[in-house]
Amino acid sequence: MAHRTTGSLHKRALGIIATTSAVVALSLAGASAANAADRVTYAGSVPSWATAANDAGAAPADETVEGEIYLPLRDQAGAEALAKAVSNPLDRGYRKALSPKQWIDRFAPSQADSDAVVSFLKAAGLTISAVPASRQYVVFRGTPDQLGSIFGTSLHAFNYAGRQLVAPASAPSLPTSIGGKVSGVSIEQSRTLTRPDSIKQGDLGPSGAPQVARKAAAAPVIQTPCSHYYGEHTGTVPPAYNGNTQYSTYNCGYTPQQLRSAYGLNDLGKRGINGSGQTVAIIDAYASPTIVKDVNSYSQQNGEPGLTNSSYQQLVPSPSEFVDQELCQYPSGWQGEQTLDVESVHAIAPGARILYVGGFNCGGGLDVAMSKILDNKLANIVSNSYGNVGEAVPADVIQGEVNLQLQAAGEGIGLYFSSGDNGDEVANLGYPSPDFPASSPWVTSVGGTSTGIDKNGKIAWETGWGDQFDQIVKNTDGTLSYAQPLPGTRFVGGAGGGTSAVFAQPDYQRGIVPAALANGKRVSPDVAALADPYTGFLIGIRPIIDDTTLETGDYVNETYGGTSLASPIVAAQIAIVQQATRSTIGFANPTLYGVKRILPNAFRDVLPQNPTQALVYTSAISGNTYLVSMDQDTSLKTAKGYDPVTGLGGVSFDLLSWVAQGRH
């Protein structure tokens, strides 16, 4: 029996996988007795990196592997039609969202089908981790031998992205009695590549070895104290752009007051328009043990209101339930992300209620966290500051994720995803790709800017986030020069974006995104906000120093950036506008692009700077001094109008007010 597909998306994504000859070969190799006519096969469950060339042999027998089975929606076309109608200002169904119960009753898989899948997995000896109220998936765990036997394949380890990940060596299958109820299977670890889209200032990014601390650091070639605002301190450097030798030093980290001022929110705040009455949900993996204490220390430090039991709640697993910690970069790897997300939302919209929902890992746990929000409509704004490496996720998994996004849109919930921190991802993948889930046409993808805020709290300049480092060195005669021709070759982070290989161009992008860029496909991002860690945001945190006990160290200030900063900034702005307009925006993209058609100047167009903007930075670790050239985002370029670094551009209160009112 052939595997049933669930819509054109699945067919397109399946076609991409089918183009990889090695994967095709692996799928054909699975045509054994286990995958005979009495079974349903799932070729769309084999990740593109599970190739013979990457095969490292049998998966470790003493470890368990997470799996996820996706059940098809009862009316896929109807769910897509509803999501479009609810989000399109020109449709009579605009903002006539369903309640979670109404959506589940109309579109979710049946209880009987969900129960049958769960019973099958339990009978096979697998452990059930979660089943959401929407019944769209079942998360489970088992050993590689168990999963291989149940799914008619064998699980191998594959070398990919500098790690060894488990995946099926041939297409998995299920007995027809169960397979007829299942749209997709995931028994591989591609989603453990999901990572926070945040970068701490001083982390020199993917293209270069980590800095090594000197035993006795020499004095920097240039003294570069950090600047609390653009231009507070300057450094004299060798002639750079247009012969300029004076550049501002890097930013110490903007404060909440500086961000509200730069984004034009101060006067609104004085009138009580600060997000009150709104809830912003934040999803990440794991949970910081000191988040409330940290935010309140930070708030006291900066003269901000603290968190209370009514302004902050969290739904998090207990530490004993955390799984896949090594694969997912441990709780310590996500603590800075949660802190950045919570503190930046609180900075922009101090009156908003924040709901943090933590996953028990960075795979199925994130789905469970999302479903808790969607199945109970705990918020209508959800910020997600994480993403996969490109779209290198199996087709079955992508379709399962898209179905959750359709549920959100149908319920009038806006999902905001950071677009990524590695530019076009060529360094990681060997080919350009936007990151998923931000590349989905059913979410709002938030790109990144580098932003100079002056001493008066105004935006002095704004350009696309893409940082290129060039070391400043002292010559034998005492003069200074650049180690390489400007801008250097050390890329240390930039906004993700670009043209999807999976998703067709959504209607709302037609005529706005240049045809030569789109080529008939979805392009990411949609909008942008501050993301550059060298013009970054100050956070306060007690870092986890032991991932086993979750012991934390002393309170410290750190400066962060990444599109993980941009996404919660935009989500918090949405909360302010919803309060002011007494409306719910929901999935914003159709209205955002509609406003662009009628009022193109409503967006703050982010353009290349002439001459190129740059800052001077000295590493506290190595003592090396660099000129940081901006708007150097790999192959992604800023341009007038739409571009794949900042999308439509920056957003403002006035713009979002038009969006909230459905005006275009």
Side-chain angles (χ1 to χ4, degrees):
M1 177 178 175
H3 171 36
R4 299 186 312 168
T5 60
T6 54
S8 57
L9 161 65
H10 195 109
K11 293 174 183 175
R12 288 193 300 274
L14 194 56
I16 292 168
I17 290 178
T19 62
T20 307
S21 60
V23 174
V24 173
L26 287 172
S27 297
L28 292 175
S32 60
N35 288 334
D38 61 341
R39 296 180 71 90
V40 179
T41 59
Y42 298 88
S45 296
V46 180
S48 58
W49 43 262
T51 65
N54 293 340
D55 198 329
D62 58 347
E63 297 179 7
T64 61
V65 175
E66 180 175 273
E68 196 162 352
I69 279 181
Y70 301 94
L71 284 71
L73 300 182
R74 272 181 283 179
D75 181 3
Q76 183 78 30
E80 292 182 8
L82 173 69
K84 287 182 178 179
V86 167
S87 309
N88 183 355
L90 301 179
D91 195 288
R92 285 183 295 180
Y94 185 49
R95 292 189 179 162
K96 295 178 181 177
L98 300 186
S99 69
K101 184 179 186 305
Q102 289 171 325
W103 194 94
I104 290 170
D105 288 347
R106 184 168 164 186
F107 299 110
S110 70
Q111 187 69 57
D113 284 356
S114 176
D115 290 345
V117 170
V118 170
S119 296
F120 170 80
L121 295 173
K122 283 183 174 179
L126 300 180
T127 301
I128 305 300
S129 304
V131 182
S134 70
R135 305 182 293 273
Q136 291 194 57
Y137 55 85
V138 179
V139 185
F140 55 90
R141 296 190 78 87
T143 66
D145 284 347
Q146 282 179 305
L147 297 178
S149 175
I150 294 164
F151 290 95
T153 184
S154 58
L155 267 61
H156 284 205
F158 293 88
N159 295 313
Y160 178 68
R163 297 161 66 178
Q164 280 201 349
L165 302 178
V166 171
S170 59
S173 64
L174 284 169
T176 301
S177 58
I178 291 297
K181 309 176 191 301
V182 170
S183 60
V185 171
S186 170
I187 49 171
E188 46 79 40
Q189 294 177 327
S190 64
R191 290 187 66 202
T192 62
L193 293 173
T194 299
R195 72 275 190 257
D197 281 325
S198 57
I199 297 181
K200 184 165 67 173
Q201 187 181 88
D203 291 347
L204 291 195
S207 57
Q211 300 181 79
V212 179
R214 297 177 176 180
K215 293 181 180 178
V221 296
I222 301 172
Q223 294 297 325
T224 61
C226 67
S227 291
H228 293 88
Y229 56 84
Y230 175 69
E232 180 188 20
H233 301 294
T234 59
T236 302
V237 303
Y241 302 102
N242 283 14
N244 193 4
T245 60
Q246 294 291 314
Y247 285 93
S248 178
T249 62
Y250 63 103
N251 176 29
C252 303
Y254 293 131
T255 64
Q257 198 282 331
Q258 284 177 295
L259 286 192
R260 290 196 299 273
S261 176
Y263 286 111
L265 302 175
N266 278 347
D267 289 342
L268 293 166
K270 292 174 183 176
R271 305 201 318 259
I273 302 173
N274 58 9
S276 296
Q278 303 295 311
T279 298
V280 178
I282 295 167
I283 295 176
D284 288 312
Y286 309 126
S288 167
T290 54
I291 185 63
V292 173
K293 186 178 180 181
D294 292 349
V295 177
N296 287 343
S297 295
Y298 177 80
S299 297
Q300 183 177 18
Q301 172 189 348
N302 290 285
E304 299 289 319
L307 295 179
T308 66
N309 289 336
S310 60
S311 65
Y312 179 84
Q313 282 92 33
Q314 60 182 23
L315 299 172
V316 298
S318 68
S320 63
E321 296 173 298
F322 295 171
V323 293
D324 297 321
Q325 292 188 49
E326 182 178 3
L327 284 169
C328 290
Q329 303 181 48
Y330 295 102
S332 60
W334 286 82
Q335 184 195 19
E337 179 60 68
Q338 179 185 351
T339 307
L340 174 65
D341 291 346
V342 173
E343 290 181 352
S344 57
V345 168
H346 194 53
I348 294 290
R353 174 177 173 265
I354 297 173
L355 172 66
Y356 175 76
V357 187
F360 51 70
N361 69 355
C362 61
L366 295 177
D367 287 346
V368 175
M370 179 69 77
S371 288
K372 287 178 181 177
I373 297 169
L374 302 186
D375 293 346
N376 300 283
K377 202 167 185 179
L378 300 179
N380 52 43
I381 305 165
V382 186
S383 180
N384 304 270
S385 290
Y386 54 85
N388 298 286
V389 179
E391 296 175 316
V393 180
D396 284 352
V397 176
I398 287 178
Q399 183 65 61
E401 298 304 299
V402 165
N403 286 350
L404 288 174
Q405 297 159 12
L406 292 175
Q407 180 183 0
E411 293 180 6
I413 298 172
L415 304 181
Y416 297 83
F417 275 88
S418 52
S419 71
D421 292 348
N422 296 312
D424 61 15
E425 292 286 13
V426 167
N428 289 317
L429 297 173
Y431 57 88
S433 175
D435 288 354
F436 179 80
S439 65
S440 169
W442 298 106
V443 308
T444 299
S445 173
V446 185
T449 68
S450 301
T451 306
I453 301 176
D454 67 19
K455 63 181 178 181
N456 298 315
K458 303 297 184 184
I459 294 178
W461 53 267
E462 186 177 37
T463 193
W465 172 43
D467 290 336
Q468 203 85 9
F469 273 40
D470 200 343
Q471 187 175 348
I472 300 172
V473 296
K474 182 173 287 189
N475 302 315
T476 55
D477 62 0
T479 60
L480 301 178
S481 64
Y482 298 106
Q484 296 176 314
L486 288 172
T489 58
R490 190 166 196 172
F491 175 69
V492 300
T499 306
S500 174
V502 175
F503 299 102
Q505 185 178 51
D507 292 341
Y508 56 76
Q509 284 198 320
R510 290 188 182 130
I512 300 293
V513 177
L517 177 63
N519 201 24
K521 297 290 187 178
R522 156 74 158 150
V523 186
S524 173
D526 299 303
V527 293
L530 176 65
D532 189 340
Y534 297 91
T535 65
F537 178 63
L538 188 74
I539 72 166
I541 187 172
R542 292 172 175 84
I544 294 171
I545 57 177
D546 187 325
D547 277 295
T548 301
T549 64
L550 298 184
E551 179 186 357
T552 59
D554 295 334
Y555 176 86
V556 295
N557 287 126
E558 297 175 341
T559 303
Y560 267 78
T563 52
S564 282
L565 172 59
S567 180
I569 285 176
V570 171
Q573 288 175 301
I574 295 290
I576 290 172
V577 169
Q578 288 191 166
Q579 177 199 358
T581 59
R582 299 180 181 179
S583 61
T584 299
I585 290 175
F587 175 45
N589 286 11
T591 314
L592 283 168
Y593 284 86
V595 169
K596 179 68 175 180
R597 285 182 172 86
I598 305 302
L599 297 168
N601 294 330
F603 291 85
R604 199 172 56 254
D605 200 2
V606 183
L607 300 167
Q609 299 288 292
N610 186 17
T612 298
Q613 283 290 346
L615 299 173
V616 194
Y617 167 73
T618 297
S619 166
I621 299 173
S622 70
N624 294 335
T625 299
Y626 302 89
L627 189 71
V628 185
S629 296
M630 298 176 169
D631 199 25
Q632 310 290 319
D633 194 12
T634 56
S635 66
L636 307 177
K637 304 298 180 186
T638 52
K640 184 174 177 58
Y642 181 93
D643 63 64
V645 181
T646 66
L648 297 168
V651 297
S652 66
F653 175 79
D654 287 342
L655 163 69
L656 292 178
S657 294
W658 291 320
V659 172
Q661 296 163 33
R663 292 173 57 188
H664 70 81

